[in-house]
Every structure is written in C-alpha cells, then in structure tokens.
Amino acid sequence: MIKFLKYIRGYLRIRLWGFSPERFMNLCSNRGILLWDIVREGESYYMCISLDGFRELKPILKKTGTRVAILERYGLPFLIPRLLKRKIFILGLLLTFVFWIVSTFYIWNIELTGNQRITDDVFYSFLKENQVTVGMRRDALDIGGLEKQIRRQFPEITWASARLDGTKLQIDIKENDAPIVIERTETTCGTDLVADYDGTVTAIIVRSGVPQVSVGDTVEKGTVLVEGRIPIFNEDKTVREYEYVDADADILLEHSTSFSESIPLDYIEKTYTGREKESYYLKLGSQTCRLPEERPFLVYDSLMKETRPLALEKLDIPVFWGSVTHREYQNTEHFYTKEEAETLLNQKLMDFLTDLEEKGVQIIEKNVRINRNDTSWVIEGAFLVREPVTGRTETARMEDGLEADFEP
C-alpha cells in the first residue's frame, strides 16, 4: 500500500555526491524528508526521494556542499503528461472503453445444453426463425416467451430454461426420457434363404422354413437353400394351403475366394525447404477479413493459429485474430524397398482377414504370394473358407391345391 501511495504522489531516483553527503542525509531526516533504497558506490550515493521532498533540497545542498542528479522519474505526475501527448493512444483507450461498455448491451453467444435427439442445427434454425440471434440487444429478448415457444415447437422437450449470463444466452433443455417405441411390421409374404456364391453345404440347422439341400450338396449362386413356403396338408395328403414365413437357418457354405491388392513402385514424400511466409487475418463472427495476397510458393502447407483476447472471451464477443503460416515443400520421389512393400501389403491382407473374421467366416486354407511387375508391387491370395449364408429373396407365391400329389 505504501509503495502504491509513493507511485501516486511520484518519486525520483537520484545520485548524490560532494563535500558532506552524510550531513546531507542527517539534515533530510531532521526536516522530515524521506530517503529510501540508499546505496553507496565509491564517493557517490544512490537513493529514492519523493517529489515534494526533492523540491525542499536546495538549502540543504547549499549548506552541505553536495550536488544531486536525477537518474529516473516514477509515478503518475510523470506518466500522465506523457500520455496526454499521445492523443491517438488516449482516443483508442477511450474508444475501447466505450466499445466494452456498449458490447454489454448485446448478446454475443448462444449456448445450448441438454439436447440429445434434437440437433444443434435444428434448434439454432428455430431460434433464427424467432429472431433470436447473435448480436441482438439484450432488452429485446423475451425470455419467458422464448421458453414457451420452445416447449410449443418441440413436444419432446419436457423442461426448458433460458437465462442471460453476461453477454451469453444460456438455454438448458430436458428431453423426454421415455423410450421411443418403433412399430415393426411383420413380414407376411415370406422370404427364402439363398446361396450368395457357389459352394458346398457343410452345416445346416433350420429353425423355420423347408430345407431344400442337405450337408454335402454342391450349390450354385442364387440356389434356394431354405424355402419360406410351408405346405399344410389335408388328410388325403393333398396341399390345403401354404403358410409363408421368413426362412431362418444357420448354414455354412464352403467355397473359394480371392484377394488382390497393389501399391505403386514409388511414392511421393514431402521435403520442407525451411522457407515460410506468414499472413494475418481478423475474424468478426462468421466474416473473415484479410489482406489480398499472392500465392506464396508453388507448393506449400498452411498452418492456422487463432486467438481471442481474454477480455472479449469473457464478454463472449466473437472477435478473433489469427495468423496463417505457409511452409514451402518439395515433392521428392522415393522407391519402396522389398521389405517396405511387404509390410504395407501384409497390412492390407490382415485388414481383409480381420473383416472376414468379423463376418463369422472360417478360413480353411490360404495361399498368398507377393510379386513385382513393371509398375507395382502386388499381393494375391487364394482362400478356402466356410461362410454363413445371409442371402434372401422373396418366396414365390403358390396357388393352393396345385400340388395335390405332394408327398410330405
């Protein structure tokens, strides 16, 4: 606190030398003139003295045969005159203060919390339709009316609250937690399970439908494996009618599949030259202002950094400035070694095998080879697999009574 008062009243850092500096300090003490931070260097003394005390030194200097020189000046009495000479600085300071005050009368940010099923884009579009936007005056916002409109527009919202927090409009909502019931339409026309590819049936367990194949049968792609049309017989073993269901069964088909991938012999790698150019921009909300510039380099990357002053961040005013650094690079051609090519191609193979395993496919045999041709490295594989059947097709309708001689 004492240091602050000294700064308000102003003080000096002086150098004292001459016939009797010790007597000078004693006389200052007797007359109530405060000296502090006294340091001796050779025949000179360095000390601080208040501005009022310095004005009373003339008789003391004359009596002690000493001299003083002002080294530095501190405090408001010296700062204010310098500031008054800088009219542009004072004007900018006043404009900043006015801008800060005026900004508090507007809404500069809208934040939504609690929404799960209602997307931000949908909700902000609703606000825009109701003239609730960034940049509107705070006193033009009817918070109670906005809350009612939210509940009226979105029936799934059971509770809504809006409040002003500084220059930010905070909207909190709560959606109905009851589960959404999805009505499912039962399939009545019936579906068949069909082979997705040529192969041999190695396992079949039927839960609904009529099996058309058995273990060991060789089938072609599109063959009906389990039919979704179930005949219902009369006492004389004639078909009275048909019941149509969705065929359901676990069927494994053993078949051959192949895999092929390639990578070029060479690749391009970026080599940075170390040359950089930087440009700056100012962003006001969604509008970006920047000076026109020519293309900095033939090929380059751009790195953007964006900041916002802490004062504007606290006020939620969407004013940002940033820089864009353009870094020049050259495209350098490299060739894959055999080891590098094998590593990349084997990774592609592993991704393919992992995808098969996630689908429940069993790999029985595999034969993989990597070759090089004039333009690329190639990996080729032949596999014998057992794969679940997932193919479906609509069951063909049959008129009742057409298969009178059907033997169950």
Side-chain angles (χ1 to χ4, degrees):
M1 185 64 180
I2 295 176
K3 188 175 181 180
F4 176 72
L5 292 175
K6 290 177 181 178
Y7 186 85
I8 293 296
R9 301 184 63 180
Y11 63 94
L12 304 169
R13 183 73 176 171
I14 62 173
R15 173 174 170 256
L16 173 71
W17 74 96
F19 179 72
S20 182
E22 292 80 5
R23 187 184 177 195
F24 168 87
M25 289 183 279
N26 289 333
L27 290 175
C28 287
S29 178
N30 293 336
R31 297 190 182 190
I33 300 174
L34 181 62
L35 303 174
W36 70 93
D37 290 346
I38 302 173
V39 178
R40 180 176 181 179
E41 292 185 6
E43 299 298 326
S44 301
Y45 288 83
Y46 297 86
M47 64 196 71
C48 293
I49 184 172
S50 66
L51 191 58
D52 293 337
F54 183 79
R55 296 191 179 103
E56 301 176 13
L57 292 184
K58 189 173 182 180
I60 299 176
L61 293 171
K62 187 175 181 181
K63 185 178 291 188
T64 58
T66 54
R67 301 177 63 185
V68 296
I70 299 175
L71 301 179
E72 296 181 64
R73 298 172 174 82
Y74 302 95
L76 287 181
F78 305 105
L79 178 62
I80 291 177
R82 291 202 300 267
L83 291 179
L84 292 177
K85 293 179 181 179
R86 302 180 179 180
K87 297 180 181 179
I88 296 179
F89 174 78
I90 296 297
L91 179 61
L93 190 63
L94 291 175
L95 291 176
T96 301
F97 181 74
V98 171
F99 173 74
W100 198 338
I101 296 299
V102 172
S103 296
T104 59
F105 295 103
Y106 295 85
I107 296 174
W108 294 111
N109 188 19
I110 300 176
E111 185 173 308
L112 174 66
T113 60
N115 59 312
Q116 299 293 330
R117 289 174 296 189
I118 302 174
T119 64
D120 290 350
D121 291 340
V122 171
F123 197 89
Y124 288 131
S125 296
F126 155 76
L127 292 178
K128 188 175 181 180
E129 291 173 359
N130 288 270
Q131 287 76 48
V132 179
T133 58
V134 172
M136 70 176 296
R137 288 185 60 89
R138 287 162 50 98
D139 53 12
L141 177 65
D142 180 7
I143 291 182
L146 177 61
E147 292 174 346
K148 292 179 182 178
Q149 189 64 24
I150 291 173
R151 292 190 292 269
R152 188 180 301 114
Q153 180 71 22
F154 302 100
E156 61 269 39
I157 293 180
T158 58
W159 176 81
S161 172
R163 68 181 187 278
L164 288 171
D165 183 9
T167 61
K168 178 173 69 175
L169 173 59
Q170 179 69 48
I171 301 176
D172 302 312
I173 64 174
K174 182 175 178 60
E175 298 175 346
N176 191 351
D177 296 331
I180 300 175
V181 178
I182 301 175
E183 296 185 359
R184 298 184 180 274
T185 304
E186 295 184 359
T187 303
T188 57
C189 62
T191 55
D192 300 336
L193 282 175
V194 298
D196 300 306
Y197 27 75
D198 300 343
T200 302
V201 179
T202 59
I204 178 169
I205 300 175
V206 180
R207 284 182 288 273
S208 69
V210 179
Q212 303 296 308
V213 295
S214 58
V215 175
D217 289 350
T218 300
V219 297
E220 297 180 352
K221 180 178 179 180
T223 301
V224 176
L225 305 180
V226 179
E227 195 173 61
R229 184 177 64 243
I230 302 175
I232 300 176
F233 298 95
N234 296 312
E235 292 182 357
D236 59 356
K237 296 184 180 181
T238 59
V239 178
R240 183 176 73 246
E241 61 181 347
Y242 291 96
E243 180 183 354
Y244 294 89
V245 299
D246 290 328
D248 185 16
D250 293 333
I251 304 175
L252 289 180
L253 281 187
E254 186 174 292
H255 68 102
S256 299
T257 187
S258 61
F259 169 78
S260 178
E261 281 285 351
S262 65
I263 58 173
L265 296 178
D266 59 350
Y267 63 96
I268 302 298
E269 187 177 75
K270 293 181 181 179
T271 302
Y272 290 95
T273 65
R275 297 175 61 195
E276 296 182 353
K277 285 186 179 181
E278 198 168 31
S279 60
Y280 302 91
Y281 67 90
L282 178 65
K283 186 176 179 181
L284 306 174
S286 59
Q287 302 296 321
T288 302
C289 306
R290 65 179 72 197
L291 295 175
E293 59 178 341
E294 298 180 353
R295 185 182 181 92
F297 307 106
L298 183 61
V299 286
Y300 60 92
D301 283 340
S302 297
L303 177 65
M304 179 179 292
K305 295 181 180 179
E306 189 172 273
T307 58
R308 178 162 59 159
L310 182 60
L312 298 181
E313 184 176 349
K314 294 297 183 182
L315 290 172
D316 282 317
I317 299 176
V319 177
F320 306 83
W321 59 67
S323 63
V324 181
T325 303
H326 306 292
R327 303 184 300 168
E328 183 187 35
Y329 66 86
Q330 295 178 347
N331 290 322
T332 307
E333 185 179 22
H334 296 271
F335 287 88
Y336 287 113
T337 64
K338 182 178 181 181
E339 292 75 14
E340 291 174 337
E342 289 178 349
T343 300
L344 292 174
L345 292 174
N346 282 326
Q347 183 58 52
K348 292 179 180 291
L349 175 62
M350 291 302 299
D351 294 340
F352 171 74
L353 296 179
T354 301
D355 184 59
L356 290 183
E357 291 178 1
E358 290 176 352
K359 295 177 180 179
V361 178
Q362 304 173 21
I363 300 173
I364 308 303
E365 296 178 3
K366 63 179 179 179
N367 181 20
V368 180
R369 61 183 182 275
I370 297 177
N371 297 316
R372 172 178 173 173
N373 56 33
D374 295 337
T375 59
S376 59
W377 290 92
V378 180
I379 183 171
E380 294 177 332
F383 303 91
L384 181 63
V385 299
R386 289 175 183 166
E387 185 171 352
V389 172
T390 58
R392 286 188 176 274
T393 186
E394 186 176 342
T395 302
R397 308 295 294 184
M398 181 69 70
E399 294 295 335
D400 297 341
L402 288 183
E403 297 187 8
D405 298 330
F406 181 86
E407 292 292 336

